[in-house]
Amino acid sequence: DLSLKNSSHIGNPLQVVVGENGFSTLLSAYSNSTLNFSEKLTMNIGLNGQLITLNNHYTIEPRLAVKYLFAPTQSFSFAYGLHSRMERLNYYFAKNSLDGNEAMNKDLDFTKSHHLVVGYEAGISEFIHFKIEAYFQQLFNVPVIKDSSFSLINVQNDWFFHDKLQNTGKGKNYGVDITFDKYLSQGYYSMFTASFFSSKYKGGDNIWRDTRYNRNFALNFLLGKEWQVGHNNKQNILSLNIRLSYQGGDHYSPINQTASFAAQEAIFDEKNAFSKQFSPAFTTHFTASYKINKRRTAHEIALKIINATMYQEFSGFQY
């Protein structure tokens, strides 16, 4: 039961964006098998299927993962998978703005992507673990608007979208993820992660551009310390931890100031979509907690300071 109405300006009559009721189902089925060729070589093979009864589009997706333990604490891995998703229901039922009756995108197909991952893991010691993964994702069947820079890849949350979509868009993501773990020992733990990546898309105008989310890098560091305290066997736990994050800014489209002045609202320069990028963001989070363990109960008191550096996130342009 979907009913979405919108007015372009305050005082104008509401127009029906989505008005639909009925029943449809997304059906999924999968099979997965693990093959142990030896103590060092393991393979996972799978097949996933989806069917959306709204328009009877279906997808069959093979999956494969191989892990080779070439040393007692070191391994290589490789994985491939075809993945798909259906979009939010309101996009399927968006009405034609001319007559307000036709659900323009009811025949929309799944968005699909080939995923490839190559990884290396090493247990440096009993408490220290290292992992690096390189990945590539090739997106296709992405919903776009014909002859436009628009792509659903970049949409965050638009309830009042009502344009005709077609599954001709593309996208590609590739990068490297690095993780360095120090598990809890001697009362402290830490984790460092680094991601370096690129994210591109092709809209309905067949031009490759940066996606909204092409931050290029993301760095995170977590450090924590725990103390065993209490009068009886030191059963209570006092803990402190801090997390530091530094990542590139989102991309955004520049404002067309002349058109915005005439329309009295923010109008973007779509020919140069997502050509601008915000400055990198640095954030800090801090937590202090005290856990009281008793025979039958446990209590925890915590103080959390989220965004201690008071970074102000960009939320949008408004005329």
Side-chain angles (χ1 to χ4, degrees):
D1 236 344
L2 290 175
S3 179
L4 299 173
K5 298 179 181 180
N6 187 39
S7 173
S8 56
H9 293 91
I10 294 175
N12 289 3
L14 291 171
Q15 292 184 330
V16 175
V17 178
V18 175
E20 197 79 26
N21 62 74
F23 179 85
S24 62
T25 306
L26 176 67
L27 300 172
S28 297
Y30 73 93
S31 173
N32 184 71
S33 300
T34 300
L35 306 176
N36 295 308
F37 295 105
S38 66
E39 293 183 355
K40 295 183 177 181
L41 183 61
T42 303
M43 179 183 293
N44 285 296
I45 301 175
L47 196 65
N48 186 72
Q50 294 193 91
L51 167 70
I52 179 172
T53 61
L54 175 68
N55 51 29
N56 291 323
H57 281 298
Y58 68 91
T59 176
I60 298 175
E61 306 161 7
R63 312 278 172 82
L64 171 69
V66 179
K67 187 172 184 178
Y68 178 62
L69 191 68
F70 66 92
T73 60
Q74 299 182 69
S75 65
F76 281 119
S77 60
F78 167 81
Y80 163 78
L82 175 61
H83 298 261
S84 65
R85 75 170 193 191
M86 67 174 288
E87 305 300 337
R88 290 172 56 133
L89 278 178
N90 58 295
Y91 298 143
Y92 292 90
F93 295 121
K95 296 292 187 183
N96 187 322
S97 57
L98 297 177
D99 56 34
N101 293 318
E102 179 191 1
M104 296 181 293
N105 302 316
K106 196 171 183 179
D107 196 46
L108 204 63
D109 201 354
F110 290 97
T111 300
K112 301 179 181 180
S113 178
H114 296 291
H115 290 194
L116 288 166
V117 183
V118 178
Y120 167 77
E121 290 186 58
I124 298 174
S125 69
E126 182 181 358
F127 300 106
I128 299 177
H129 179 254
F130 173 77
K131 182 177 182 179
I132 183 170
E133 286 186 336
Y135 63 88
F136 178 79
Q137 300 171 345
Q138 181 69 56
L139 288 78
F140 61 102
N141 269 26
V142 180
V144 297
I145 298 175
K146 185 179 180 181
D147 300 324
S148 164
S149 61
F150 177 89
S151 172
L152 272 191
I153 282 178
N154 298 306
V155 173
Q156 292 177 308
N157 185 9
D158 190 350
W159 284 101
F160 304 112
F161 177 87
H162 58 101
D163 286 290
K164 174 67 175 176
L165 293 170
Q166 59 185 33
N167 291 103
T168 58
K170 295 182 180 181
K172 55 185 177 183
N173 306 311
Y174 55 90
V176 176
D177 290 339
I178 302 169
T179 303
F180 187 86
D181 268 324
K182 160 63 173 65
Y183 302 136
L184 181 65
S185 65
Q186 298 178 331
Y188 78 95
Y189 57 91
S190 63
M191 174 188 285
F192 171 76
T193 66
S195 295
F196 303 96
F197 58 91
S198 178
S199 180
K200 305 283 186 178
Y201 83 99
K202 182 187 284 189
D205 56 4
N206 289 319
I207 297 175
W208 283 102
R209 296 180 172 90
D210 291 303
T211 69
R212 178 192 300 274
Y213 310 103
N214 192 16
R215 293 175 178 261
N216 299 123
F217 69 91
L219 307 175
N220 293 280
F221 178 68
L222 174 70
L223 178 65
K225 173 67 175 175
E226 293 188 354
W227 293 269
Q228 300 287 132
V229 296
H231 297 295
N232 300 320
N233 300 319
K234 294 187 176 182
Q235 77 281 12
N236 301 332
I237 300 174
L238 173 65
S239 66
L240 302 174
N241 73 59
I242 186 170
R243 177 185 169 187
L244 308 175
S245 296
Y246 185 64
Q247 56 185 346
D250 280 342
H251 281 255
Y252 67 96
S253 301
I255 291 287
N256 184 327
Q257 296 196 24
T258 303
S260 298
F261 182 78
Q264 298 287 290
E265 63 177 324
I267 304 296
F268 297 93
D269 179 4
E270 297 299 341
K271 289 186 178 180
N272 296 298
F274 304 105
S275 59
K276 301 289 187 178
Q277 186 176 16
F278 293 110
S279 299
F282 177 72
T283 55
T284 303
H285 313 303
F286 174 79
T287 302
S289 66
Y290 185 67
K291 189 172 184 179
I292 304 169
N293 293 306
K294 295 188 176 182
R295 181 174 296 178
R296 297 190 179 185
T297 60
H299 306 276
E300 186 170 3
I301 303 168
L303 169 68
K304 295 188 178 184
I305 303 175
I306 307 299
N307 192 20
T309 49
M310 300 182 68
Y311 169 75
Q312 295 185 5
E313 187 174 8
F314 174 79
S315 60
F317 289 102
Q318 186 172 3
Y319 189 89

Coordinates of all heavy atoms in Angstrom, one line a residue, residues 27-89:
L27 N 11.6 -13.9 -4.2 CA 12.0 -15.2 -3.8 C 13.5 -15.5 -4.0 O 14.0 -15.1 -5.1 CB 11.2 -16.2 -4.7 CG 9.6 -16.2 -4.6 CD1 9.0 -17.1 -5.7 CD2 9.2 -16.5 -3.2
S28 N 14.1 -16.1 -3.1 CA 15.5 -16.4 -3.1 C 15.7 -17.9 -2.8 O 15.1 -18.5 -1.9 CB 16.3 -15.6 -2.2 OG 16.2 -14.2 -2.5
A29 N 16.7 -18.5 -3.5 CA 17.1 -19.9 -3.2 C 18.6 -20.0 -3.4 O 19.1 -19.3 -4.3 CB 16.3 -20.9 -4.0
Y30 N 19.3 -20.8 -2.6 CA 20.7 -21.0 -2.8 C 21.1 -22.4 -2.5 O 20.5 -23.1 -1.8 CB 21.5 -20.0 -2.0 CG 21.5 -20.3 -0.5 CD1 22.5 -21.0 0.0 CD2 20.5 -19.9 0.3 CE1 22.6 -21.3 1.4 CE2 20.5 -20.1 1.7 CZ 21.5 -20.9 2.2 OH 21.5 -21.2 3.6
S31 N 22.3 -22.7 -3.0 CA 23.0 -24.0 -2.7 C 24.4 -23.7 -2.5 O 25.0 -22.9 -3.2 CB 22.8 -25.0 -3.8 OG 23.6 -26.2 -3.6
N32 N 25.0 -24.3 -1.4 CA 26.4 -24.1 -1.1 C 27.1 -25.4 -0.8 O 26.6 -26.1 0.0 CB 26.6 -23.0 0.0 CG 28.0 -22.7 0.3 OD1 28.7 -22.0 -0.5 ND2 28.6 -23.2 1.4
S33 N 28.3 -25.6 -1.3 CA 29.0 -26.8 -1.0 C 30.5 -26.5 -0.7 O 31.1 -25.6 -1.3 CB 29.0 -27.8 -2.2 OG 27.7 -28.1 -2.6
T34 N 31.0 -27.2 0.3 CA 32.4 -27.0 0.7 C 33.2 -28.2 0.3 O 32.8 -29.4 0.7 CB 32.6 -26.7 2.2 OG1 31.8 -25.5 2.5 CG2 34.0 -26.6 2.6
L35 N 34.3 -28.1 -0.4 CA 35.1 -29.2 -0.8 C 36.5 -29.0 -0.2 O 37.2 -28.0 -0.4 CB 35.3 -29.2 -2.4 CG 34.0 -29.2 -3.2 CD1 34.3 -29.1 -4.7 CD2 33.2 -30.4 -2.9
N36 N 36.9 -30.0 0.6 CA 38.2 -30.0 1.3 C 39.1 -31.0 0.5 O 39.1 -32.2 0.7 CB 38.1 -30.5 2.7 CG 37.3 -29.5 3.5 OD1 37.6 -28.3 3.6 ND2 36.2 -30.0 4.2
F37 N 39.9 -30.4 -0.4 CA 40.8 -31.3 -1.2 C 42.0 -31.8 -0.4 O 42.5 -32.9 -0.7 CB 41.3 -30.5 -2.4 CG 40.2 -30.1 -3.4 CD1 39.8 -28.8 -3.4 CD2 39.6 -31.0 -4.2 CE1 38.8 -28.4 -4.3 CE2 38.6 -30.7 -5.1 CZ 38.2 -29.3 -5.2
S38 N 42.4 -31.0 0.6 CA 43.5 -31.4 1.5 C 43.4 -30.5 2.7 O 42.5 -29.7 2.8 CB 44.8 -31.3 0.8 OG 45.1 -29.9 0.6
E39 N 44.3 -30.7 3.6 CA 44.3 -29.8 4.8 C 44.7 -28.4 4.4 O 44.4 -27.5 5.2 CB 45.3 -30.4 5.8 CG 44.9 -31.7 6.4 CD 45.9 -32.2 7.5 OE1 47.0 -31.5 7.6 OE2 45.7 -33.2 8.1
K40 N 45.3 -28.2 3.3 CA 45.7 -26.9 2.9 C 44.8 -26.2 1.9 O 44.7 -25.0 1.8 CB 47.1 -26.9 2.2 CG 48.2 -27.4 3.2 CD 49.6 -27.4 2.5 CE 50.7 -27.7 3.5 NZ 52.0 -27.7 2.9
L41 N 44.0 -27.0 1.1 CA 43.2 -26.4 0.0 C 41.7 -26.6 0.3 O 41.3 -27.8 0.4 CB 43.6 -27.0 -1.3 CG 42.9 -26.4 -2.5 CD1 43.2 -24.9 -2.7 CD2 43.3 -27.2 -3.8
T42 N 41.0 -25.5 0.3 CA 39.5 -25.6 0.5 C 38.8 -24.8 -0.5 O 39.3 -23.7 -0.9 CB 39.1 -25.0 1.9 OG1 39.8 -25.8 2.9 CG2 37.6 -25.2 2.1
M43 N 37.7 -25.3 -1.0 CA 36.9 -24.6 -2.0 C 35.4 -24.5 -1.6 O 34.9 -25.5 -1.2 CB 37.1 -25.3 -3.4 CG 36.3 -24.6 -4.5 SD 36.4 -25.5 -6.1 CE 38.1 -25.2 -6.5
N44 N 34.8 -23.4 -1.8 CA 33.4 -23.2 -1.6 C 32.8 -22.9 -2.9 O 33.2 -21.9 -3.6 CB 33.1 -22.1 -0.6 CG 33.4 -22.5 0.8 OD1 32.8 -23.4 1.4 ND2 34.4 -21.9 1.4
I45 N 31.8 -23.7 -3.3 CA 31.1 -23.4 -4.6 C 29.6 -23.2 -4.3 O 29.0 -24.0 -3.5 CB 31.2 -24.6 -5.5 CG1 32.7 -24.9 -5.8 CG2 30.5 -24.4 -6.8 CD1 32.9 -26.1 -6.7
G46 N 29.0 -22.2 -4.9 CA 27.6 -22.0 -4.6 C 26.8 -21.4 -5.8 O 27.4 -21.0 -6.8
L47 N 25.5 -21.5 -5.7 CA 24.6 -20.9 -6.7 C 23.5 -20.3 -6.0 O 22.8 -20.8 -5.1 CB 24.1 -22.1 -7.6 CG 23.5 -21.6 -9.0 CD1 24.5 -21.0 -9.8 CD2 22.9 -22.8 -9.7
N48 N 23.2 -19.0 -6.4 CA 22.2 -18.2 -5.8 C 21.2 -17.8 -6.8 O 21.6 -17.4 -8.0 CB 22.7 -17.0 -5.1 CG 21.7 -16.2 -4.3 OD1 21.2 -16.7 -3.2 ND2 21.3 -15.1 -4.8
G49 N 19.9 -17.9 -6.5 CA 18.9 -17.4 -7.5 C 17.9 -16.5 -6.9 O 17.5 -16.6 -5.7
Q50 N 17.4 -15.6 -7.7 CA 16.3 -14.6 -7.2 C 15.3 -14.4 -8.2 O 15.6 -14.4 -9.4 CB 16.9 -13.3 -6.8 CG 17.9 -13.3 -5.6 CD 18.2 -11.9 -5.1 OE1 17.5 -11.4 -4.2 NE2 19.2 -11.3 -5.7
L51 N 14.0 -14.3 -7.8 CA 12.9 -14.0 -8.7 C 12.0 -13.0 -8.0 O 11.6 -13.1 -6.9 CB 12.1 -15.3 -9.0 CG 10.7 -15.1 -9.6 CD1 10.9 -14.6 -11.1 CD2 9.9 -16.4 -9.6
I52 N 11.7 -11.9 -8.8 CA 10.8 -10.9 -8.3 C 9.5 -11.1 -9.1 O 9.4 -10.9 -10.3 CB 11.3 -9.5 -8.4 CG1 10.3 -8.4 -7.9 CG2 11.8 -9.1 -9.8 CD1 10.8 -7.0 -7.8
T53 N 8.4 -11.4 -8.4 CA 7.2 -11.8 -9.1 C 6.4 -10.5 -9.6 O 5.5 -10.7 -10.3 CB 6.2 -12.5 -8.1 OG1 5.9 -11.7 -7.0 CG2 6.9 -13.8 -7.6
L54 N 6.9 -9.3 -9.2 CA 6.3 -8.1 -9.7 C 6.4 -8.1 -11.2 O 5.4 -7.7 -11.9 CB 7.0 -6.9 -9.1 CG 6.6 -5.5 -9.6 CD1 5.1 -5.2 -9.2 CD2 7.5 -4.5 -9.1
N55 N 7.5 -8.5 -11.8 CA 7.7 -8.4 -13.2 C 8.3 -9.7 -13.8 O 8.7 -9.7 -15.0 CB 8.6 -7.2 -13.6 CG 9.9 -7.1 -12.9 OD1 10.4 -8.2 -12.4 ND2 10.4 -5.9 -12.7
N56 N 8.5 -10.7 -12.9 CA 9.0 -12.0 -13.3 C 10.5 -12.0 -13.8 O 10.9 -12.9 -14.5 CB 8.1 -12.7 -14.4 CG 6.8 -13.1 -13.8 OD1 6.7 -13.5 -12.6 ND2 5.7 -13.0 -14.6
H57 N 11.2 -10.9 -13.4 CA 12.6 -11.0 -13.7 C 13.3 -11.9 -12.7 O 13.0 -11.9 -11.5 CB 13.2 -9.5 -13.6 CG 13.0 -8.7 -14.8 ND1 13.4 -9.0 -16.1 CD2 12.3 -7.5 -14.9 CE1 13.0 -8.1 -16.9 NE2 12.3 -7.1 -16.2
Y58 N 14.3 -12.6 -13.2 CA 15.1 -13.6 -12.3 C 16.5 -13.5 -12.6 O 17.0 -12.9 -13.6 CB 14.6 -15.0 -12.5 CG 14.9 -15.6 -13.9 CD1 16.1 -16.3 -14.1 CD2 14.1 -15.5 -15.0 CE1 16.4 -16.8 -15.3 CE2 14.4 -16.0 -16.2 CZ 15.6 -16.7 -16.4 OH 15.9 -17.2 -17.6
T59 N 17.3 -14.0 -11.7 CA 18.8 -14.0 -11.8 C 19.3 -15.2 -11.2 O 18.8 -15.7 -10.2 CB 19.4 -12.7 -11.1 OG1 20.8 -12.8 -11.2 CG2 19.0 -12.7 -9.7
I60 N 20.4 -15.8 -11.9 CA 21.1 -17.0 -11.4 C 22.5 -16.6 -11.2 O 23.2 -16.1 -12.2 CB 20.9 -18.2 -12.4 CG1 19.5 -18.6 -12.5 CG2 21.8 -19.3 -11.9 CD1 19.2 -19.6 -13.5
E61 N 23.0 -16.7 -10.0 CA 24.3 -16.2 -9.7 C 25.3 -17.2 -9.2 O 25.1 -17.7 -8.1 CB 24.1 -15.1 -8.6 CG 23.1 -14.0 -9.0 CD 22.6 -13.3 -7.8 OE1 23.1 -13.5 -6.7 OE2 21.6 -12.5 -8.0
P62 N 26.4 -17.5 -9.9 CA 27.4 -18.5 -9.4 C 28.3 -17.8 -8.4 O 28.6 -16.6 -8.5 CB 28.1 -18.9 -10.7 CG 27.9 -17.7 -11.6 CD 26.6 -17.1 -11.3
R63 N 28.8 -18.6 -7.5 CA 29.7 -18.1 -6.5 C 30.9 -19.1 -6.3 O 30.6 -20.3 -6.3 CB 29.1 -17.9 -5.1 CG 27.7 -17.1 -5.2 CD 27.9 -15.6 -5.2 NE 26.7 -14.9 -5.4 CZ 25.8 -14.6 -4.5 NH1 26.0 -14.9 -3.3 NH2 24.7 -13.9 -4.8
L64 N 32.1 -18.6 -6.1 CA 33.2 -19.5 -6.0 C 34.3 -18.9 -5.1 O 34.6 -17.7 -5.2 CB 33.9 -19.8 -7.3 CG 35.2 -20.5 -7.3 CD1 35.0 -22.0 -6.8 CD2 35.9 -20.5 -8.7
A65 N 34.8 -19.6 -4.1 CA 35.8 -19.1 -3.2 C 36.9 -20.2 -3.0 O 36.5 -21.4 -2.7 CB 35.3 -18.6 -1.9
V66 N 38.1 -19.9 -3.1 CA 39.2 -20.9 -2.9 C 40.2 -20.3 -1.9 O 40.6 -19.1 -1.9 CB 40.0 -21.1 -4.2 CG1 41.1 -22.1 -4.0 CG2 39.0 -21.7 -5.3
K67 N 40.6 -21.1 -0.9 CA 41.6 -20.7 0.1 C 42.7 -21.7 0.2 O 42.4 -22.9 0.3 CB 40.9 -20.5 1.5 CG 41.8 -20.0 2.5 CD 41.1 -19.7 3.8 CE 42.0 -19.0 4.8 NZ 41.2 -18.6 6.1
Y68 N 43.9 -21.3 0.1 CA 45.1 -22.2 0.1 C 46.0 -21.8 1.3 O 46.5 -20.7 1.3 CB 45.9 -22.1 -1.2 CG 47.1 -22.9 -1.2 CD1 47.0 -24.3 -1.1 CD2 48.4 -22.4 -1.4 CE1 48.2 -25.1 -1.1 CE2 49.5 -23.1 -1.4 CZ 49.4 -24.5 -1.3 OH 50.5 -25.3 -1.3
L69 N 46.1 -22.7 2.2 CA 47.0 -22.5 3.4 C 48.4 -23.0 3.1 O 48.7 -24.2 3.2 CB 46.4 -23.3 4.6 CG 47.0 -23.0 6.0 CD1 46.6 -21.6 6.4 CD2 46.5 -24.0 7.0
F70 N 49.3 -22.1 2.6 CA 50.6 -22.5 2.1 C 51.6 -22.6 3.2 O 52.7 -23.1 3.1 CB 51.1 -21.6 1.0 CG 51.4 -20.2 1.4 CD1 52.6 -19.8 1.8 CD2 50.4 -19.2 1.4 CE1 52.9 -18.5 2.2 CE2 50.6 -17.9 1.7 CZ 51.9 -17.6 2.1
A71 N 51.3 -22.1 4.4 CA 52.1 -22.1 5.6 C 51.2 -22.3 6.8 O 50.0 -22.0 6.7 CB 53.0 -20.9 5.7
P72 N 51.7 -22.7 8.0 CA 50.8 -22.9 9.1 C 50.0 -21.7 9.5 O 48.9 -21.8 10.0 CB 51.8 -23.3 10.2 CG 53.0 -23.9 9.5 CD 53.1 -23.1 8.2
T73 N 50.5 -20.5 9.3 CA 49.7 -19.3 9.7 C 49.6 -18.3 8.5 O 49.3 -17.1 8.7 CB 50.4 -18.6 10.8 OG1 51.8 -18.2 10.4 CG2 50.5 -19.5 12.1
Q74 N 49.7 -18.8 7.3 CA 49.6 -17.9 6.1 C 48.7 -18.5 5.0 O 48.8 -19.8 4.8 CB 50.9 -17.5 5.5 CG 51.9 -16.8 6.5 CD 53.2 -16.5 5.8 OE1 53.3 -15.6 5.0 NE2 54.3 -17.1 6.3
S75 N 47.9 -17.7 4.4 CA 47.0 -18.3 3.3 C 46.8 -17.2 2.2 O 46.8 -16.0 2.5 CB 45.7 -18.7 4.0 OG 45.0 -17.6 4.5
F76 N 46.5 -17.8 1.1 CA 46.0 -17.0 -0.1 C 44.6 -17.3 -0.3 O 44.1 -18.5 -0.1 CB 46.8 -17.3 -1.3 CG 48.2 -16.6 -1.4 CD1 49.3 -17.3 -1.5 CD2 48.2 -15.2 -1.4 CE1 50.6 -16.7 -1.5 CE2 49.5 -14.5 -1.4 CZ 50.6 -15.3 -1.5
S77 N 43.8 -16.4 -0.8 CA 42.4 -16.7 -1.1 C 42.0 -16.0 -2.4 O 42.5 -14.9 -2.8 CB 41.5 -16.2 0.0 OG 41.6 -14.9 0.3
F78 N 41.0 -16.5 -3.1 CA 40.4 -16.0 -4.3 C 38.9 -16.2 -4.3 O 38.5 -17.3 -3.9 CB 41.0 -16.6 -5.5 CG 40.3 -16.2 -6.8 CD1 40.5 -15.0 -7.4 CD2 39.4 -17.1 -7.3 CE1 39.8 -14.7 -8.6 CE2 38.7 -16.8 -8.5 CZ 38.9 -15.6 -9.1
A79 N 38.2 -15.2 -4.7 CA 36.7 -15.4 -4.7 C 36.1 -14.6 -5.9 O 36.6 -13.6 -6.3 CB 36.1 -14.9 -3.4
Y80 N 35.0 -15.2 -6.4 CA 34.3 -14.6 -7.5 C 32.8 -14.8 -7.2 O 32.4 -15.9 -6.6 CB 34.6 -15.2 -8.9 CG 33.5 -14.8 -9.9 CD1 33.4 -13.6 -10.4 CD2 32.5 -15.7 -10.2 CE1 32.4 -13.2 -11.3 CE2 31.4 -15.4 -11.0 CZ 31.4 -14.2 -11.6 OH 30.4 -13.8 -12.5
G81 N 32.0 -13.8 -7.5 CA 30.6 -13.9 -7.3 C 29.8 -13.0 -8.2 O 30.3 -11.8 -8.4
L82 N 28.7 -13.4 -8.7 CA 27.7 -12.5 -9.4 C 26.7 -12.2 -8.3 O 26.0 -13.1 -7.7 CB 27.1 -13.2 -10.6 CG 26.0 -12.4 -11.3 CD1 26.6 -11.1 -11.8 CD2 25.5 -13.3 -12.5
H83 N 26.5 -10.9 -8.1 CA 25.5 -10.4 -7.1 C 24.5 -9.5 -7.7 O 24.8 -8.8 -8.7 CB 26.2 -9.7 -6.0 CG 27.2 -10.5 -5.2 ND1 27.0 -11.2 -4.0 CD2 28.5 -10.9 -5.6 CE1 28.0 -11.8 -3.6 NE2 29.0 -11.7 -4.5
S84 N 23.3 -9.5 -7.2 CA 22.2 -8.6 -7.7 C 21.4 -8.1 -6.6 O 21.4 -8.6 -5.5 CB 21.4 -9.4 -8.7 OG 20.7 -10.5 -8.0
R85 N 20.6 -7.1 -6.9 CA 19.7 -6.5 -5.9 C 18.5 -5.9 -6.6 O 18.6 -5.4 -7.7 CB 20.4 -5.4 -5.1 CG 20.6 -4.1 -5.8 CD 21.0 -3.0 -4.9 NE 20.9 -1.7 -5.5 CZ 21.4 -0.6 -5.0 NH1 22.1 -0.6 -3.9 NH2 21.2 0.6 -5.7
M86 N 17.3 -5.9 -6.0 CA 16.2 -5.2 -6.4 C 16.2 -3.8 -5.8 O 16.9 -3.6 -4.8 CB 14.9 -5.9 -6.1 CG 14.5 -6.0 -4.6 SD 12.9 -6.7 -4.3 CE 11.8 -5.4 -4.9
E87 N 15.6 -2.8 -6.4 CA 15.6 -1.5 -5.9 C 14.4 -1.3 -4.9 O 13.5 -2.1 -4.8 CB 15.5 -0.5 -7.1 CG 16.6 -0.7 -8.1 CD 18.0 -0.5 -7.5 OE1 18.2 0.1 -6.5 OE2 19.0 -1.0 -8.1
R88 N 14.3 -0.1 -4.3 CA 13.2 0.3 -3.5 C 11.9 0.2 -4.3 O 11.9 0.6 -5.4 CB 13.4 1.6 -2.9 CG 14.6 1.7 -1.9 CD 14.8 3.1 -1.4 NE 13.7 3.8 -0.9 CZ 13.7 4.5 0.2 NH1 14.8 4.6 0.9 NH2 12.6 5.0 0.7
L89 N 10.8 -0.2 -3.6 CA 9.6 -0.4 -4.3 C 9.0 0.9 -4.9 O 8.4 0.8 -6.0 CB 8.5 -1.0 -3.3 CG 8.6 -2.5 -3.1 CD1 7.5 -2.9 -2.1 CD2 8.4 -3.2 -4.4

